[in-house]
Amino acid sequence: MIYNEEFETLPRPALEALQLKRLKSTIKRVYNQVPFYREGLDKAGIIPEDINSLSDLQKLPFTHKQDMRDSYPYGLFAVPMEEIVRIHASSGTTGKPTVVGYTRKDIEVWSELMARSFVAAGAHKGDIIHNAYGYGLFTGGLGAHYGAERLGASVIPMSGGNTKKQILIMKDFGSTVLTCTPSYSLYLAEAALEEGVDFKSLRLRVGIFGAEPWSESMRKEIESKLNICAIDIYGLSEIMGPGVAIECHEAKNGLHIWEDHFLPEIIDPETGNLVPEGEKGELVITTITKEGIPLVRYRTRDITSITYDPCVCGRTHARIARMSGRSDDMLIIRGVNIFPSQIESVLMKIEKVEPHYLLIVDRKDNLDTLEVQVEVDEQLFSDEVKHLQALAQAIEKEIKDMLGVTCKVRLVEPKTILRSEGKAKRVIDKRGEH
Ligand code: DLL
């Protein structure tokens, strides 16, 4: 099933014609309404009339997260405040939050794109959507909420936290779709076990997970623990919130990015040049329908690749690969570049290892060190010490062989690593503390 057949299956020439029309009007609008863009275009010697093809987009300067911070809070808004009906913000780890504003039409578009996303994930009217993304300034909760209502499903506005109650509600209310971060879904699975609730006895069928990186092996783990089909959803508050891209349940192979509203580019983060189709690089997005805060060539810092190959589901919109991580989350350990998700992939393939881990990076005697803390099976933990040692060594070797980085593995007891109700914190980097 497809939510908006007409737009989701537009043949590429028609889709591109629509994109160009919308791009031109966006560039005109930001040039006239937002001093930041006017200055940027003037500096680059470009006027809106110079944009006559989609590839002309590459003439335009990038927009960075810092530009949003510099214009905190409302400097990049393209409409008067009277037209803004909602404000969200992303906390980020450093500095001021980035603030975004939505007009009534922006909220409508967002709701539709989330409704499309739900259907792509295999949800439909009649579903009971248990929404455990946080409500508040974070876009996850309200984004999924409005989309679920637009779809005509019954939404349970749980928000994050209150984990025991979530299980009770899921069981008693007959939730069929779960929306939350992938790490929280595993916390829920664990809590259910403690409450004596078997996920197999629940009506839950689909999980729509995003807001943080997760690996293919984590998907398998979640699917078997929760007895559901797990779908990857991507988004970021600067661009809209959840629902910028989502996997279709038919293929589960790449996330369709809603190209009638967003123009994706994949660039080499160093040079800023486009990389060939299929190659990894940084995702850059231009919004082409947003009113409140349109963004031109926004550097997401997220690393992925793109394919325009047709998909079995019939949607014509390009697919981006599961995010390997953010370029700013990439760890450089003694010169080796690794993403936490790569370590996750290795860990999840090892038996008796639980999907809860923490990476601790430090520097000793001028050398970077990496400690991987990971929980293991309760039974294994009560086993002889030598078994634990052997397993730790086997994991160290596997990480060295697969990723080329030497680490120290510390196996820890079940439930010692802090559980997250939202975005999991997987890395503690102590190098800056010395
Ligand atoms: O996390 C929006 C969202 C809510 C997406 C619910 C999906 C589900 P922010 O808090 O602004 O917005 O964080 C955006 O989270 O740039 C990525 O680095 C990361 N991210 C989001 N989805 C995924 C995903 C929301 N599926 C930042 N895989 C983005 C990997 C993801 N990373």
Side-chain angles (χ1 to χ4, degrees):
M1 221 178 81
I2 290 181
Y3 182 77
N4 186 335
E5 184 93 35
E6 183 191 348
F7 282 91
E8 291 179 60
T9 62
L10 269 183
R12 187 133 291 270
L15 182 55
E16 288 182 356
L18 179 68
Q19 287 176 322
L20 180 60
K21 186 171 141 230
R22 291 180 166 178
L23 173 67
K24 284 173 145 181
S25 106
T26 297
I27 302 301
K28 264 197 201 106
R29 208 147 30 82
V30 296
Y31 188 77
N32 291 323
Q33 309 290 344
V34 188
F36 166 80
Y37 286 112
R38 176 179 286 263
E39 282 160 27
L41 263 68
D42 284 349
K43 218 160 136 193
I46 296 162
I47 53 167
E49 287 68 30
D50 290 336
I51 304 298
N52 293 307
S53 71
L54 289 176
S55 57
D56 285 339
L57 180 61
Q58 290 163 49
K59 297 179 181 162
L60 300 172
F62 292 116
T63 305
H64 297 89
K65 196 176 188 107
Q66 191 56 42
D67 298 320
M68 299 189 76
R69 293 217 172 100
D70 292 346
S71 49
Y72 177 83
Y74 303 141
L76 290 186
F77 284 20
V79 297
M81 236 24 219
E82 299 83 79
E83 288 181 40
I84 297 290
V85 299
R86 175 97 65 81
I87 294 169
H88 280 284
S90 142
S91 55
T93 41
T94 49
K96 287 180 189 152
T98 40
V99 182
V100 286
Y102 302 73
T103 65
R104 196 165 296 286
K105 188 177 148 245
D106 290 335
I107 297 283
E108 270 165 28
V109 169
W110 187 13
S111 308
E112 163 168 348
L113 298 188
M114 267 311 294
R116 283 189 196 179
S117 300
F118 275 119
V119 173
H124 45 71
K125 206 173 153 69
D127 264 319
I128 300 177
I129 299 183
H130 185 107
N131 185 19
Y133 282 119
Y135 282 64
L137 286 179
F138 175 56
T139 51
L142 283 164
H145 184 105
Y146 274 58
E149 283 192 353
R150 168 65 72 89
L151 176 64
S154 319
V155 54
I156 310 176
M158 282 306 298
S159 197
N162 239 329
T163 306
K164 272 190 190 166
K165 190 164 171 196
Q166 302 248 6
I167 304 296
L168 180 87
I169 299 267
M170 221 182 278
K171 181 165 151 273
D172 293 351
F173 290 19
S175 312
T176 54
V177 176
L178 169 65
T179 52
C180 63
T181 57
S183 53
Y184 192 50
S185 79
L186 285 168
Y187 186 10
L188 287 169
E190 200 170 67
L193 216 62
E194 278 168 14
E195 296 302 297
V197 173
D198 182 357
F199 258 93
K200 291 202 176 67
S201 69
L202 300 184
R203 289 186 61 212
L204 207 64
R205 199 179 75 244
V206 180
I208 303 174
F209 304 127
E212 65 185 9
W214 53 312
S215 59
E216 204 49 49
S217 343
M218 186 68 95
R219 173 182 354 235
K220 294 210 180 75
E221 189 83 29
I222 294 174
E223 290 192 327
S224 88
K225 283 207 155 88
L226 281 82
N227 193 36
I228 54 169
C229 164
I231 295 288
D232 191 5
I233 184 167
Y234 169 79
L236 62 168
S237 33
E238 296 92 311
I239 295 300
M240 179 176 83
V244 171
I246 189 157
E247 286 178 323
C248 58
H249 72 281
E250 293 92 339
K252 275 163 109 175
N253 181 15
L255 294 81
H256 290 281
I257 173 157
W258 302 122
E259 279 192 276
D260 50 340
H261 297 274
F262 310 112
L263 272 185
E265 297 171 274
I266 309 289
I267 62 157
D268 175 333
E270 301 297 323
T271 63
N273 296 331
L274 291 191
V275 301
E277 186 176 338
E279 265 179 37
K280 272 194 180 179
E282 178 181 339
L283 174 65
V284 171
I285 301 179
T286 300
T287 66
I288 51 176
T289 52
K290 241 167 72 165
E291 294 181 339
I293 173 165
L295 287 180
V296 176
R297 302 197 86 197
Y298 183 69
R299 303 273 304 247
T300 66
R301 297 275 159 206
D302 292 316
I303 305 295
T304 182
S305 60
I306 197 162
T307 174
Y308 292 86
D309 283 350
C311 181
V312 287
C313 72
R315 292 178 182 82
T316 50
H317 297 216
R319 280 169 293 155
I320 51 176
R322 176 188 282 286
M323 303 288 146
S324 2
R326 297 176 58 76
S327 56
D328 26 20
D329 285 348
M330 189 180 72
L331 296 169
I332 307 181
I333 312 285
R334 270 167 277 138
V336 183
N337 298 354
I338 40 166
F339 285 108
S341 62
Q342 291 176 287
I343 297 191
E344 176 180 300
S345 276
V346 174
L347 293 176
M348 291 306 104
K349 286 188 190 129
I350 297 171
E351 246 185 279
K352 300 210 163 74
V353 163
E354 295 292 321
H356 304 284
Y357 66 95
L358 183 65
L359 310 181
I360 299 170
V361 187
D362 206 343
R363 181 166 291 145
K364 286 198 183 93
D365 303 328
N366 284 321
L367 273 185
D368 299 326
T369 58
L370 170 64
E371 177 177 287
V372 177
Q373 293 187 0
V374 62
E375 290 182 11
V376 286
D377 222 50
E378 191 125 27
Q379 203 197 335
L380 188 83
F381 215 86
S382 52
D383 252 13
E384 284 181 53
V385 177
K386 66 173 190 233
H387 289 153
L388 280 176
Q389 275 170 352
L391 180 62
Q393 279 165 7
I395 300 174
E396 285 167 5
K397 181 169 185 310
E398 194 65 15
I399 291 177
K400 174 81 186 167
D401 290 350
M402 301 295 292
L403 308 173
V405 69
T406 308
C407 67
K408 174 102 197 79
V409 167
R410 195 146 79 83
L411 303 178
V412 297
E413 280 186 70
K415 297 179 197 153
T416 40
I417 287 171
L418 193 66
R419 300 294 186 256
S420 104
E421 294 169 352
K423 294 179 193 253
K425 186 164 172 52
R426 306 282 197 199
V427 181
I428 298 179
D429 196 334
K430 297 178 168 170
R431 286 177 295 188
E433 296 171 12
H434 300 297

